[in-house]
């Protein structure tokens, strides 16, 4: 039991060693908030489906370093996003910007809801036109 | 009957998506946003001599192949013999970007396996790698005489890929379309 506790404690207390960027990047809370938001929205290209905030491969840490540099150089969020898209394409962003290329991504959900709503409307109207006691009548 | 035909059509469309998805190749491969655009300018200290530099200025006026490599990259080792053969054939100068590596290891690599590069830039902190949109070595860019990226190969090159994807783009003798 004692040994078990020691092992558990060791496991618990080594966790911070795997944490990513434990120190704050900026003293200014406003800049830190922008930094946190940006890194959680940029995809790690090497480890797709992780943001660069959650990944510790070196490409992610390189990208975090570049974003820190750009923020401290006074670049706006839009300029930083441009910087990334120029180099890696729209796929680097978890929330693709609304543009000609990504238009279909943005309108598809609304189109699908409209389509589904229309289908439901048709079915409901059809059902309503049936008389109450026709449960044995075959559909079609 | 009409209902079954509708279902069949829907199934065929969905199967089409599946077929397309399966045959699309590596779903993690990303197209480079630089294709058809000017290659990012760069200057790096050379791997062999810190006091010298290599960069876009050296590459102007001819087709060049820019190869991103590193000693920690297993696929680069697989690709290396092809690069040696290509350099020996002499149809195109190869410039290396030694990405996120250490000098002693990279130099030992070239000593042991041979050096196909006109020069390799030493990109220790990966800044030039990011400028070129590199996310996994090896990556190879075909750059035209006027500095436009014509093609990007993700993963190791081979003669098959070279002749299929690169050679036709170099047919017009140096300028980009």
């Amino acid at each position: 039991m004692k040994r078990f506790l020691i092992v558990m404690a060791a496991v618990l207390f080594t966790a911070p060693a795997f944490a990513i960027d434990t120190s704050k990047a900026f003293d200014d809370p406003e800049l830190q908030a922008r930094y946190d938001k940006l890194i959680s929205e940029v995809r790690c290209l090497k480890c797709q489906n992780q943001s660069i905030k959650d990944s510790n491969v070196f490409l992610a840490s390189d990208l975090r370093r570049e974003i820190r540099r750009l923020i401290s150089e006074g670049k706006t969020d839009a300029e930083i996003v441009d910087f990334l898209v120029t180099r890696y394409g729209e796929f680097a962003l978890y929330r693709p910007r609304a543009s000609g290329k990504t238009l279909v991504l943005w309108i598809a959900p609304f189109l699908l809801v409209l389509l589904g709503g229309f289908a439901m409307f048709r079915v409901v109207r059809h059902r309503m036109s049936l008389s109450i006691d026709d449960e044995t009548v075959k559909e079609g | 009957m009409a209902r079954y035909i509708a279902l069949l059509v829907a199934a065929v469309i969905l199967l089409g998506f599946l077929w397309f998805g399966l045959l699309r190749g590596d779903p993690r491969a990303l197209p480079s946003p630089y294709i058809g655009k000017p290659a990012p300018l760069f200057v790096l200290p050379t791997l062999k001599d810190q006091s010298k530099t290599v960069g876009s200025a050296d590459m102007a006026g001819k087709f060049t192949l820019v190869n991103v490599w590193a000693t920690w990259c297993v696929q680069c080792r697989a690709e290396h013999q092809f690069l040696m053969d290509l350099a020996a054939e002499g149809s195109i100068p190869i410039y290396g970007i030694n990405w996120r590596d250490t000098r002693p290891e990279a130099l030992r690599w070239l000593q042991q396996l041979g050096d196909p590069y006109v020069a390799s830039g030493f990109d220790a902190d990966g800044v030039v790698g990011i400028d070129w949109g590199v996310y996994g070595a090896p990556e190879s860019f075909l750059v035209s005489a006027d500095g436009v990226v014509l093609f990007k190969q993700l993963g190791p090159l081979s003669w098959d890929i070279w002749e299929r994807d690169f050679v036709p783009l170099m047919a017009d003798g140096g300028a980009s379309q």
Side-chain angles (χ1 to χ4, degrees):
Chain A
M1 189 60 195
K2 201 171 178 187
R3 193 176 289 171
F4 174 75
L5 283 176
I6 290 171
V7 169
M8 285 309 287
V11 169
L12 277 175
F13 289 112
T14 50
F18 300 110
I20 297 162
D21 287 357
T22 44
S23 57
K24 276 196 161 180
F26 294 96
D27 288 332
D28 183 344
E30 200 178 317
L31 293 185
Q32 179 68 32
R34 280 180 56 205
Y35 173 69
D36 284 337
K37 186 155 181 295
L38 277 166
I39 62 174
S40 61
E41 288 184 355
V42 175
R43 187 190 303 272
C44 170
L45 286 307
K46 188 65 199 168
C47 33
Q48 296 171 9
N49 302 336
Q50 270 188 316
S51 72
I52 60 169
K53 185 183 187 177
D54 301 324
S55 173
N56 51 7
V57 304
F58 71 75
L59 180 61
S61 76
D62 284 3
L63 288 169
R64 287 197 299 269
R65 182 196 62 213
E66 290 302 297
I67 289 174
R68 282 199 297 276
R69 179 177 64 79
L70 293 167
I71 290 177
S72 51
E73 281 173 8
K75 296 280 194 295
T76 65
D77 288 359
E79 284 169 326
I80 294 172
V81 165
D82 267 348
F83 173 93
L84 294 162
V85 171
T86 310
R87 285 160 180 73
Y88 289 99
E90 209 67 49
F91 187 69
L93 305 177
Y94 270 117
R95 284 191 307 149
R97 302 174 301 181
S99 74
K101 271 191 207 163
T102 60
L103 191 66
V104 69
L105 286 177
W106 284 94
I107 62 172
F110 301 105
L111 276 182
L112 286 175
V113 166
L114 269 177
L115 210 71
F118 178 69
M120 194 175 80
F121 173 75
R122 287 285 302 266
V123 168
V124 168
R125 206 177 52 169
H126 174 69
R127 295 255 166 104
M128 280 172 76
S129 70
L130 300 177
S131 54
I132 304 286
D133 57 354
D134 66 348
E135 275 141 11
T136 54
V137 174
K138 277 186 190 148
E139 280 186 59
Chain B
M1 190 60 200
R3 172 168 294 187
Y4 291 113
I5 290 175
L7 272 174
L8 191 71
V9 169
V12 166
I13 290 173
L14 286 175
L15 278 174
F17 279 125
L18 176 67
W19 185 246
F20 181 75
L22 287 176
L23 291 188
R24 201 165 65 102
D26 183 3
R28 299 165 66 104
L30 303 177
S32 170
Y34 284 119
I35 304 296
K37 297 199 182 131
L41 297 177
F42 77 101
V43 185
L44 281 172
T46 64
L47 180 60
K48 289 189 169 165
D49 184 349
Q50 258 184 75
S51 63
K52 287 186 186 157
T53 61
V54 61
S56 311
D58 304 299
M59 292 165 40
K62 54 194 180 286
F63 278 117
T64 49
L65 185 68
V66 176
N67 177 250
V68 181
W69 65 283
T71 56
W72 47 262
C73 153
V74 181
Q75 303 253 55
C76 298
R77 190 173 277 271
E79 178 185 61
H80 200 81
Q81 189 55 50
F82 165 78
L83 294 175
M84 292 301 293
D85 294 347
L86 184 68
E89 187 214 39
S91 60
I92 188 167
I94 309 171
Y95 288 84
I97 293 177
N98 181 231
W99 189 44
R100 278 296 222 135
D101 212 339
T102 66
R103 260 208 170 83
E105 281 181 300
L107 288 171
R108 191 167 351 118
W109 167 290
L110 293 183
Q111 213 167 33
Q112 285 172 353
L113 301 174
D115 183 357
Y117 305 105
V118 177
S120 274
F122 183 58
D123 187 21
D125 46 12
V127 173
V128 171
I130 286 180
D131 275 346
W132 282 67
V134 170
Y135 66 97
E139 290 187 16
S140 304
F141 299 81
L142 177 65
V143 181
S144 73
D146 48 1
V148 172
V149 176
L150 299 180
F151 191 78
K152 172 183 175 178
Q153 165 70 20
L154 199 74
L157 282 168
S158 64
W159 281 114
D160 286 347
I161 294 169
W162 179 255
E163 303 209 327
R164 189 189 66 207
D165 296 331
F166 287 73
V167 171
L169 293 171
M170 301 194 296
D172 66 349
S176 65
Q177 289 81 356

